[in-house]
Amino acid sequence: MDVLNLFTAANVPAMAPQEEPSAMITPGEEQPANLPGKGLAQHTMLYVGENNTRMSLINDGKVIWTYQTGKGYEYDDVWMISNGNILFTRMKYVAVMTPDKKVLWKMDFKETGPEHAEVHACQPIGLDRIMFVVNADTPKFYIVNYKTGKIEVERDIPFNYTDRGVHGQFRRARVTAQGTYLISYMGKGKVVEFDKDFKEIWSYTTPQPWAAIRLKNGNTLITDEREWRTFEVNAKKDILWEFNCKTDLPAQYQFASAPQTCTRLANGNTIFTSRGQNGKGPQMIEVTKDKKVVWVLHDWKTVGDGTAVQVLDDPGVPEIPGQSEH
């Protein structure tokens, strides 16, 4: 919150030279009346969607800054670091840029051919280092110092299947507060935690995990895209809380597309995100521990689909692993 002014300063261009205009998704339906919460004013947030390549910074219910990357797929992970720099994945590259849209570091990947690779997950580790996972014939886990350009960690990720190809391998990955690596094998149907030597120390089987995050209480919050549910499990794999977006949501708030990521707020509420369906359905929904819906974002005129969100008015230092539960 302390660096928001950097995004509205006089030196911030409406469009940087490297930006490409991104058309908004045409709403397929009108915004329903009397939705719970405050719409875009519910949270200050950094917001992206995989089908609408326009990153949006939202404050006081208004989009105060955007970054547009033209046609193609897809934004899947995004972070604002406490110095204002933004780390994000764009499937064909991972990058760090300043609030005034200067690219500080970028790594590109081949979009076709035998060296085809994709990146869908990233995380800041301190102010200078970043983690990201690369989907490829030989998938990789990286930690890079983006200021020096030095690759500090480069490890093959244990991998023994080829049926879904590169795109379906992995989605969300996180370094935990304990320094372990939590990776969602989306196509394999499991979440795996590795130690620093990439020895498997914990796993959980579920049909199609899109996202998994380690909570401050030590439990793991998983979103399964195929099952439309988010659930919290402990180390013993007991399910302590779950929310199924098909059966637990009132009919008038139903997503048009399965939730992909989850965010746990400091007050215990959980936010689910959805890419929607051609401008239909809510983009984000927030529920309490007792499953009460307190916020429904359904606003296709102002923002696109909502694959991932960083809630900026929640406490915690983003670049300290474990403090930001998103």
Side-chain angles (χ1 to χ4, degrees):
M1 296 293 290
D2 294 337
V3 296
L4 291 183
N5 63 302
L6 300 178
F7 293 85
T8 56
N11 66 325
V12 179
M15 291 284 290
Q18 73 274 13
E19 286 187 83
E20 300 176 43
S22 294
M24 295 290 288
I25 296 174
T26 302
E29 58 192 10
E30 289 298 317
Q31 179 177 332
N34 302 316
L35 292 174
K38 303 176 183 177
L40 282 178
Q42 183 80 5
H43 295 290
T44 298
M45 52 190 171
L46 187 59
Y47 178 112
V48 295
E50 68 173 47
N51 293 318
N52 195 79
T53 50
R54 180 183 299 198
M55 187 188 306
S56 297
L57 177 59
I58 299 160
N59 188 38
D60 291 332
K62 298 178 181 179
V63 176
I64 63 170
W65 178 94
T66 63
Y67 188 76
Q68 303 181 51
T69 54
K71 295 179 180 180
Y73 299 97
E74 64 192 51
Y75 282 126
D76 280 326
D77 211 353
V78 67
W79 294 82
M80 183 188 295
I81 306 170
S82 60
N83 59 12
N85 291 342
I86 289 181
L87 165 67
F88 66 98
T89 64
R90 179 66 170 80
M91 195 166 88
K92 58 187 178 182
Y93 63 83
V94 56
V96 181
M97 67 179 174
T98 61
D100 60 350
K101 304 182 180 181
K102 293 182 175 65
V103 177
L104 300 175
W105 177 90
K106 185 174 182 242
M107 183 178 285
D108 293 289
F109 301 95
K110 299 287 187 181
E111 296 186 66
T112 58
E115 296 182 358
H116 173 212
E118 299 177 2
V119 56
H120 298 273
C122 62
Q123 182 183 358
I125 311 296
L127 291 176
D128 301 339
R129 302 162 69 235
I130 58 174
M131 177 280 296
F132 55 96
V133 166
V134 177
N135 294 14
D137 282 347
T138 302
K140 299 273 190 180
F141 175 96
Y142 287 92
I143 294 179
V144 173
N145 186 313
Y146 73 84
K147 286 195 174 179
T148 65
K150 181 181 178 182
I151 296 175
E152 298 184 359
V153 177
E154 180 180 359
R155 294 293 301 263
D156 294 351
I157 301 175
F159 174 84
N160 59 3
Y161 71 101
T162 58
D163 56 314
R164 289 204 60 176
V166 166
H167 185 69
Q169 289 175 348
F170 308 102
R171 282 303 181 268
R172 189 55 55 85
R174 291 292 182 258
V175 178
T176 71
Q178 293 73 38
T180 61
Y181 309 141
L182 191 66
I183 300 177
S184 297
Y185 281 69
M186 185 178 75
K188 188 65 173 176
K190 63 179 182 178
V191 174
V192 180
E193 183 177 6
F194 298 100
D195 65 14
K196 289 185 176 181
D197 296 319
F198 266 88
K199 178 182 177 181
E200 183 175 320
I201 57 176
W202 185 84
S203 69
Y204 190 91
T205 299
T206 187
Q208 190 170 307
W210 210 103
I213 54 176
R214 179 60 45 78
L215 302 175
K216 293 183 179 72
N217 61 15
N219 298 333
T220 303
L221 190 65
I222 301 170
T223 296
D224 187 295
E225 187 177 26
R226 184 180 302 172
E227 294 190 335
W228 290 60
R229 72 179 179 126
T230 292
F231 53 98
E232 181 179 342
V233 299
N234 61 17
K236 297 179 180 180
K237 305 184 183 181
D238 303 314
I239 296 178
L240 306 180
W241 181 87
E242 66 179 313
F243 192 97
N244 188 304
C245 286
K246 278 191 173 180
T247 59
D248 291 330
L249 275 177
Q252 66 269 33
Y253 306 144
Q254 277 291 328
F255 282 126
S257 181
Q260 293 175 305
T261 68
C262 49
T263 295
R264 175 62 58 82
L265 301 178
N267 64 7
N269 291 358
T270 303
I271 295 175
F272 315 114
T273 71
S274 173
R275 60 187 174 186
Q277 190 69 38
N278 298 321
K280 296 180 180 179
Q283 296 122 308
M284 293 187 184
I285 292 176
E286 179 181 342
V287 303
T288 64
K289 286 184 178 180
D290 59 3
K291 301 187 179 184
K292 179 184 177 182
V293 178
V294 294
W295 177 48
V296 176
L297 178 65
H298 190 136
D299 183 354
W300 291 90
K301 292 183 178 180
T302 312
V303 289
D305 55 319
T307 297
V309 65
Q310 181 186 4
V311 176
L312 301 173
D313 52 16
D314 219 40
V317 181
E319 60 270 17
I320 298 178
Q323 287 208 12
S324 181
E325 298 175 322
H326 95 284

